[in-house]
Amino acid sequence: MKSFTRHYKILVYVALYCFTATLITSLFVWGPNERNDFPLLRIAIVFFATVLLTKYSLYMAISPWYDVLDRYFRVYKPKRAYAPSVSVIIPAWNEEVGLLSTVKSILRSTYRNVEIVVINDGSTDNSDAIFRAFLEEYKAIPDNPNKMPIVYRYKENGGKGIALNKGIEISKGEIIISIDADCALLPSTIGNFVRHFERPSVMAAVGNVKIGNTEHLLGTLQNLEFLFSFYFKKADSLFNTIYIIGGAAGAFRREVFEKVGSYSNTNITEDIDLSVRIQEAGMKIVYAADAIVYTEGASEMTGLMKQRLRWKRGRFQTFFEHRKLFFSNKKRHNKLLTWGVLPLAVFGDIQLFFEMLFLSFLYIYSYLTHDFSSFISGIIVVSVMFAIQIFDDPRSTRPSLYLLAPIGWLLFYVTTVVEYRALLASLRGMLQGKKLKWQRWEREGLRIPATRKQNPAAISS
């Protein structure tokens, strides 16, 4: 699979373009007939599609205003001297491939009031020996005002939540940033995170996560998916409806942990659980679009499926544990979140459950009636959204990304299949009472594409 995706991406793209062109051409060659079989099923499909399309259309209309307001805060709002101490917490378990690159990317930060806290959670690979050797070399560098302190602890394996809590406990920073051990930060990332905390009302921020390994097809697919989802965080930031601060790029005021508690030791998606608790406490979470963090996406389908199973199962667990937040009318709770975003998230999973049935019916129905207008309208909508999001992203400099816009709808079917399998596995696991352990896949090491505006040599080593 890995070899195929690396060497035959172009052939896959050509095949998808041919299929898309065939659908569009068929509308003009055949022309629709008047058959109207299965009217109730078609009404159900139209209903689900309309609800989600309305949501996406609203988000597309609102998201550009994020940049307008962000520019206002940058240019017109009075600036105050604000340079808080920052602690970057890196939990690591068997991350010998990427841990050093992650730390080195932080050391290149232009914001220098930073300490790095690495918690090795009982790794059984060579990460402990490798990092201790690096620390010896680092300690030999003469002390200077710009030298970042590095704190390292090796502990018995207890899980990511416990590792994060240990890092927070021994850290000293006013702002806590959590990143994974397979990530790389731009030199400006930490400073851009800090900038958003100049507003006293902001208690947490989620960074802009991008896929760094896009040389294979699966990486390209995840890159498009992340571009799509993080663009919509602009609207969520304006609405204050962000309920997921991913572990790869999250920043918090220290007082957040004093008020809502530490990371969960039992929830397999401790980051989602903490994010929902922050919202439950009525605190403000913003999206920091300029706080860019590159991460290594799954390079094989099995790894992607493991990741999505954990995400799906953890979100279900979080929603169940915090079910009282749904449709809450409490004053401190954001009604757009409790009455809109969270119920729509569950609605999306219900829609996903019937997705395969709907798609099968839609293809058969379109073939029998010669009416592919529903697919063509979907192609147009998704292509326009992709084009806008690619144009909006200052780091999407490759023209080839625009060529993916017309076939993005087909590429997303891969994600749909993965998410569908994760949904079924989550439901089966919950019904059977099976616990899900931490899932990981084989790392290759992060390689940030050289076509980015930022010199890759300044990011990874």
Side-chain angles (χ1 to χ4, degrees):
M1 178 64 182
K2 188 185 302 183
S3 175
F4 175 80
T5 54
R6 282 180 174 172
H7 299 292
Y8 297 98
K9 277 205 304 185
I10 300 300
L11 291 178
V12 173
Y13 294 161
V14 170
L16 296 182
Y17 259 103
C18 290
F19 183 78
T20 301
T22 300
L23 281 183
I24 296 175
T25 303
S26 66
L27 184 65
F28 299 98
V29 173
W30 287 349
N33 61 37
E34 300 300 324
R35 292 187 62 167
N36 191 28
D37 300 329
F38 311 106
L40 293 180
L41 189 54
R42 188 168 190 185
I43 290 173
I45 293 174
V46 171
F47 169 72
F48 278 101
T50 300
V51 172
L52 296 179
L53 185 60
T54 301
K55 173 190 172 182
Y56 291 141
S57 299
L58 177 63
Y59 272 47
M60 287 298 295
I62 297 298
S63 292
W65 290 98
Y66 169 92
D67 298 300
V68 175
L69 289 179
D70 187 58
R71 192 175 299 112
Y72 168 76
F73 283 113
R74 284 192 183 196
V75 177
Y76 298 106
K77 272 286 186 179
K79 292 182 173 59
R80 60 191 180 98
Y82 186 67
S85 57
V86 175
S87 294
V88 181
I89 314 296
I90 308 172
W93 178 64
N94 290 347
E95 294 286 0
E96 63 181 2
V97 174
L99 180 57
L100 279 187
S101 295
T102 299
V103 171
K104 289 177 181 179
S105 73
I106 299 170
L107 291 173
R108 298 187 185 99
S109 174
T110 55
Y111 190 90
R112 304 305 300 177
N113 191 10
V114 176
E115 72 166 349
I116 302 172
V117 181
V118 178
I119 307 297
N120 194 324
D121 190 42
S123 296
T124 56
D125 62 0
N126 293 323
S127 58
D128 182 55
I130 291 173
F131 201 77
R132 289 185 187 278
F134 166 76
L135 279 180
E136 289 300 317
E137 295 180 8
Y138 187 72
K139 289 176 182 178
I141 300 174
D143 290 336
N144 62 76
N146 287 323
K147 186 179 180 181
M148 294 181 184
I150 299 178
V151 180
Y152 178 67
R153 294 287 188 277
Y154 183 92
K155 58 178 285 297
E156 292 184 2
N157 180 261
K160 189 176 180 181
I162 294 177
L164 283 165
N165 292 336
K166 182 63 177 179
I168 295 169
E169 176 189 334
I170 65 178
S171 66
K172 301 175 182 178
E174 302 168 58
I175 303 295
I176 305 294
I177 296 177
S178 68
I179 64 170
D180 291 335
D182 62 344
C183 293
L185 278 62
L186 298 184
S188 60
T189 297
I190 295 178
N192 289 336
F193 260 132
V194 169
R195 180 180 68 83
H196 290 272
F197 287 93
E198 291 179 359
R199 288 177 280 167
S201 61
V202 174
M203 301 302 291
V206 55
N208 187 354
V209 182
K210 296 183 178 298
I211 298 296
N213 53 326
T214 58
E215 67 275 6
H216 51 73
L217 183 61
L218 205 56
T220 300
L221 171 61
Q222 292 170 88
N223 183 43
L224 289 175
E225 182 188 16
F226 275 46
L227 182 69
F228 201 86
S229 61
F230 277 88
Y231 180 82
F232 288 145
K233 284 189 183 294
K234 292 184 174 183
D236 278 321
S237 185
L238 295 177
F239 293 144
N240 190 27
T241 53
I242 295 175
Y243 68 92
I244 299 179
I245 306 174
F252 313 86
R253 293 191 192 274
R254 179 173 289 276
E255 61 191 273
V256 165
F257 301 99
E258 298 169 357
K259 292 180 177 179
V260 305
S262 56
Y263 281 97
S264 172
N265 299 334
T266 57
N267 193 307
I268 57 174
T269 49
E270 69 293 319
D271 48 0
I272 301 179
D273 172 75
L274 176 64
S275 308
V276 172
R277 279 190 281 134
I278 293 172
Q279 281 286 5
E280 205 165 30
M283 299 180 182
K284 186 175 182 62
I285 304 173
V286 300
Y287 172 49
D290 52 357
I292 296 173
V293 176
Y294 285 96
T295 189
E296 182 180 357
S299 56
E300 295 181 333
M301 187 63 74
T302 53
L304 184 63
M305 288 182 176
K306 287 179 180 179
Q307 180 194 65
R308 299 310 164 91
L309 173 59
R310 185 179 69 85
W311 289 1
K312 187 71 71 177
R313 181 76 177 270
R315 196 176 70 162
F316 283 161
Q317 181 182 351
T318 301
F319 282 176
F320 180 78
E321 291 174 354
H322 300 277
R323 55 193 178 276
K324 291 183 179 179
L325 188 59
F326 283 76
F327 305 108
S328 170
N329 283 317
K330 292 183 178 179
K331 186 176 181 180
R332 69 174 184 273
H333 293 155
N334 186 330
K335 305 308 180 292
L336 280 174
L337 176 71
T338 61
W339 284 82
V341 172
L342 291 179
L344 276 176
V346 176
F347 181 88
D349 284 326
I350 295 174
Q351 184 264 345
L352 179 63
F353 184 81
F354 295 102
E355 186 84 6
M356 295 305 164
L357 171 65
F358 287 167
L359 284 176
S360 300
F361 166 78
L362 202 54
Y363 272 107
I364 295 172
Y365 182 87
S366 298
Y367 177 79
L368 293 176
T369 61
H370 301 170
D371 182 7
F372 292 93
S373 58
S374 56
F375 286 104
I376 294 173
S377 61
I379 294 170
I380 294 172
V381 171
V382 173
S383 298
V384 170
M385 285 197 294
F386 266 134
I388 292 173
Q389 292 166 8
I390 292 170
F391 178 79
D392 177 77
D393 184 6
R395 312 201 70 79
S396 297
T397 57
R398 293 173 297 168
S400 59
L401 280 178
Y402 288 98
L403 297 178
L404 296 181
I407 58 174
W409 69 287
L410 277 169
L411 288 172
F412 266 17
Y413 280 154
V414 177
T415 305
T416 299
V417 171
V418 172
E419 294 285 344
Y420 180 73
R421 289 191 59 179
L423 175 65
L424 295 183
S426 296
L427 294 174
R428 183 170 58 251
M430 288 188 295
L431 290 174
Q432 295 175 350
K434 291 183 178 179
K435 291 186 178 181
L436 183 65
K437 295 182 179 180
W438 178 256
Q439 305 291 316
R440 72 182 304 273
W441 58 88
E442 292 300 319
R443 307 288 190 188
E444 297 180 352
L446 187 60
R447 301 178 184 89
I448 297 175
T451 52
R452 302 293 185 186
K453 289 184 178 180
Q454 178 70 31
N455 180 4
I459 305 170
S460 60
S461 59

